[in-house]
Amino acid sequence: MQPLCLQLPVDPIAPSVARHRVRHWLAASCWPSGQLEDIILAVSEAVSNAIEHAYLDGQFPEVVDLNGEIEAAPGGQRRVTVIVRDHGRWRPPPIDDENRRRGIPLMRACVDTVVIGQPDDNRAGTSVVLHSRAVPSADDPALDHHRAVPSDRGDTTG
């Protein structure tokens, strides 16, 4: 399966575009629908956070990179790794959080692991690395009734 590589503008529509593209990418790989929806939710939250928190003053390229790869996992299973990366810098948390701060716990509930930190190239920005739970291989016959089917109706989750 081809990796997923997107560069999204810092725009309110970007999380919706990310959801749509990740959904079709994983559905084409016969990803189980329940796990697919969890990954989509975690990716959407990571993209939303990057857009909202990374860019203060327009000094940086205001884009969010999204890269995904499906990898073999032990026991003949597979998992997906998605990296969402901005090119901005950390902003201090607001003093009044207005009943917010649920994004990272939400991501952690949706995928196996979430790692947030400086990108490997040590340049400006933050990367969020999402590792899914392992799922059966695409040719596992038990997967047939759990397959995700891409919809041509557009994204309605956001």
Side-chain angles (χ1 to χ4, degrees):
M1 182 72 181
Q2 288 288 336
L4 178 66
C5 298
L6 300 174
Q7 190 168 70
L8 303 165
V10 174
D11 185 276
I13 194 84
S16 178
V17 171
R19 287 190 301 269
H20 177 77
R21 295 288 302 273
V22 170
R23 174 174 282 112
H24 281 273
W25 176 65
L26 289 175
S29 186
C30 302
W31 211 263
S33 59
Q35 290 295 320
L36 180 141
E37 294 302 326
D38 284 350
I39 294 165
I40 290 168
L41 182 55
V43 168
S44 181
E45 189 60 36
V47 170
S48 294
N49 283 353
I51 290 169
E52 185 175 348
H53 300 294
Y55 300 105
L56 275 176
D57 49 19
Q59 293 180 352
F60 304 98
E62 294 187 351
V63 296
V64 175
D65 297 324
L66 190 154
N67 295 288
E69 190 171 322
I70 297 173
E71 306 154 336
Q77 295 190 310
R78 60 202 169 125
R79 65 189 293 168
V80 67
T81 297
V82 177
I83 301 172
V84 176
R85 186 226 172 122
D86 65 62
H87 301 272
R89 63 177 150 212
W90 282 102
R91 287 177 30 184
I95 293 170
D96 179 14
D97 67 10
E98 300 174 355
N99 200 25
R100 299 176 51 120
R101 303 200 190 255
R102 292 190 173 85
I104 294 171
L106 178 65
M107 286 185 268
R108 288 193 169 122
C110 290
V111 296
D112 190 39
T113 59
V114 177
V115 179
I116 302 170
Q118 186 174 9
D120 290 338
D121 61 11
N122 292 321
R123 293 187 359 223
T126 301
S127 66
V128 177
V129 182
L130 307 166
H131 296 285
S132 75
R133 295 173 183 90
V135 300
S137 68
D139 55 355
D140 187 334
L143 189 61
D144 284 340
H145 68 285
H146 293 288
R147 293 191 194 279
V149 178
S151 169
D152 290 333
R153 297 181 319 180
D155 184 56
T156 60
T157 60

